[in-house]
Amino acid sequence: MTDPAGNQAPSASAAPTNNLPPANNTGPVVEIDETVVDRNDGNDSTYGDELSTYTASITSSVLAHEYKHGRRYHSYHAGNYQFPNDEPEQDRLDMCHHVYYRSLGDRLFLAPINLDGKRVLDIGTGTGIWAMQLGELYPKAELIVGNDLSPIQPHWVPPNVKFLIDDVEQEWLEPKSYDFIHSRYMVGSIRDWPKLIRQCYQHLKPGGWVEFQDTTNRLYSEDGTLDPENNVLKLMNNLIEACGRIGIPGDFAPRIKGELEKAGFVNVQEKIFKVPVGAWPKDKRLKEIGAFTALQFIEGVEGLTAATFSEILGWSKEEITVFNAKVIADCKRRDVHCMHEIRVIFGQRPE
């Protein structure tokens, strides 16, 4: 049996069926012990009824696309979002979904809430895979709304799922309308994080929960194997620099917890998961996570650099092509034990 991403679904014994942690659960925090590294250090390349679910709440320009750098981009507010929305990028986003899902211990969220009869908003839903899996897991949830700028989500979805095509950084309608708001992998896409967090507070029902899942975007190693000249490290640093030049924080995840508390959320918790880049760990699950993480860089580096490096950093096409090849080569190295972090921060609006 496979999940919507085409990945082998975990067995019933491998993961809880209700996705709910015990009230005092601290979450499956991943610690990577450098003594359990797979020491096969040879560099290799083994990475190897229909619903009309769309609601457009802004002008028809939301449906427009722009073609440049050999890729398809969303043209609405193109200055805010610098990455493609075509099929190769959608495949990369689904790989990222798998990395998050496996890193969180085969869970879609960690907030202690039962979603039966509840209304859910998924900010920046992308391909819609998180919302669709949630709809399958919680058929008794009243409504799951996936919000995104690009209409790239499928039309065949669980009956309690719909997609809203809108800009989450504009004003929202219907205050106090959701029981749970989820946001994932949005660092590098949002200009005003404090405003977004305040909007989440305003649109949660009293007692409702918000959860942000995002990466720190800062690579490191614990054994000194990550050289400052490593090109995957340079990739992430340059992406943070490019986003910063256009006013978008490229590494906001470490600040989200403080902003939730500042906005008035209570019961705020943060869980940190170490994510390897590459198939170097011995542990089978971490090896899988690392392989998918490296693969999304290998197959996605062109989309990550095409607009950001040329239009913002001023690189030539030739410079970008050479650099991308170096990134791919460094992603395949098993003698470099680099990693980054996924941070999951959730909090509750007071009753």
Side-chain angles (χ1 to χ4, degrees):
M1 180 179 179
T2 59
D3 63 23
N7 304 310
Q8 188 67 29
S11 64
S13 62
T17 57
N18 61 3
N19 197 54
L20 295 176
N24 62 350
N25 183 34
T26 59
V29 178
V30 176
E31 295 291 339
I32 298 176
D33 184 347
E34 291 292 343
T35 65
V36 291
V37 170
D38 186 342
R39 293 300 179 186
N40 176 13
D41 286 342
N43 301 334
D44 62 42
S45 57
T46 55
Y47 299 106
D49 86 281
E50 178 179 3
L51 299 178
S52 178
T53 56
Y54 291 107
T55 302
S57 64
I58 52 181
T59 66
S60 60
S61 63
V62 77
L63 302 177
H65 297 297
E66 179 180 358
Y67 293 85
K68 57 183 181 180
H69 311 298
R71 303 294 295 268
R72 188 188 73 188
Y73 292 76
H74 186 74
S75 64
Y76 178 76
H77 282 186
N80 285 8
Y81 191 72
Q82 298 295 317
F83 307 105
N85 66 1
D86 51 17
E87 289 189 9
E89 176 66 4
Q90 292 173 42
D91 290 342
R92 188 187 73 85
L93 292 176
D94 283 349
M95 282 189 275
C96 290
H97 166 81
H98 187 69
V99 168
Y100 276 80
Y101 179 74
R102 293 291 280 151
S103 296
L104 271 61
D106 298 340
R107 295 182 178 186
L108 294 173
F109 63 92
L110 299 183
I113 179 173
N114 188 318
L115 298 181
D116 288 350
K118 300 296 195 297
R119 293 170 58 91
V120 180
L121 174 65
D122 181 29
I123 294 173
T125 196
T127 66
I129 189 170
W130 185 91
M132 290 185 294
Q133 287 192 352
L134 194 73
E136 292 173 351
L137 186 63
Y138 285 92
K140 294 182 181 179
E142 178 186 340
L143 179 65
I144 300 164
V145 178
N147 168 290
D148 203 88
L149 274 177
S150 292
I152 58 174
Q153 304 78 28
H155 290 274
W156 289 92
V157 297
N160 59 350
V161 175
K162 78 170 185 178
F163 297 113
L164 174 68
I165 308 306
D166 202 355
D167 184 350
V168 73
E169 296 206 78
Q170 303 302 311
E171 294 303 314
W172 300 8
L173 302 175
E174 302 178 8
K176 298 184 181 180
S177 55
Y178 295 103
D179 301 281
F180 182 46
I181 297 178
H182 168 264
S183 170
R184 187 181 66 187
Y185 200 41
M186 292 293 285
V187 167
S189 304
I190 300 297
R191 288 182 179 271
D192 191 340
W193 277 94
K195 176 185 175 182
L196 176 64
I197 291 169
R198 291 193 302 269
Q199 287 175 310
C200 290
Y201 186 95
Q202 294 163 2
H203 291 269
L204 277 173
K205 298 176 183 178
W209 289 84
V210 66
E211 178 166 315
F212 290 91
Q213 302 177 8
D214 232 302
T215 58
T216 58
N217 291 332
R218 299 286 184 182
L219 298 182
Y220 65 97
S221 68
E222 295 179 335
D223 62 356
T225 57
L226 183 61
D227 188 294
E229 294 303 308
N230 183 281
N231 291 284
V232 188
L233 177 63
K234 290 182 177 180
L235 169 67
M236 298 310 297
N237 290 343
N238 278 311
L239 286 173
I240 292 171
E241 168 68 17
C243 289
R245 289 192 187 183
I246 59 173
I248 298 177
D251 186 23
F252 197 81
R255 298 168 55 188
I256 292 176
K257 181 175 184 291
E259 290 295 334
L260 286 185
E261 294 168 338
K262 189 184 301 183
F265 286 96
V266 297
N267 301 321
V268 178
Q269 296 187 50
E270 180 179 55
K271 311 298 179 186
I272 299 176
F273 303 85
K274 294 180 180 180
V275 179
V277 180
W280 50 264
K282 282 186 176 179
D283 178 85
K284 289 184 178 179
R285 184 173 64 85
L286 291 176
K287 183 184 290 291
E288 175 192 338
I289 291 170
F292 270 90
T293 301
L295 185 60
Q296 67 89 17
F297 278 126
I298 291 170
E299 296 194 353
V301 64
E302 179 190 2
L304 293 173
T305 60
T308 52
F309 281 37
S310 63
E311 297 176 14
I312 301 174
L313 299 183
W315 289 31
S316 69
K317 181 178 179 180
E318 293 73 19
E319 288 174 325
I320 296 172
T321 299
V322 170
F323 177 74
N324 288 350
K326 292 179 179 179
V327 170
I328 292 170
D330 281 352
C331 278
K332 296 177 181 179
R333 296 178 59 180
R334 290 194 179 181
D335 58 327
V336 176
H337 308 140
C338 73
M339 62 187 79
H340 66 88
E341 294 173 349
I342 287 176
R343 297 198 177 204
V344 180
I345 309 99
F346 52 91
Q348 186 178 28
R349 175 168 177 164
E351 291 284 357

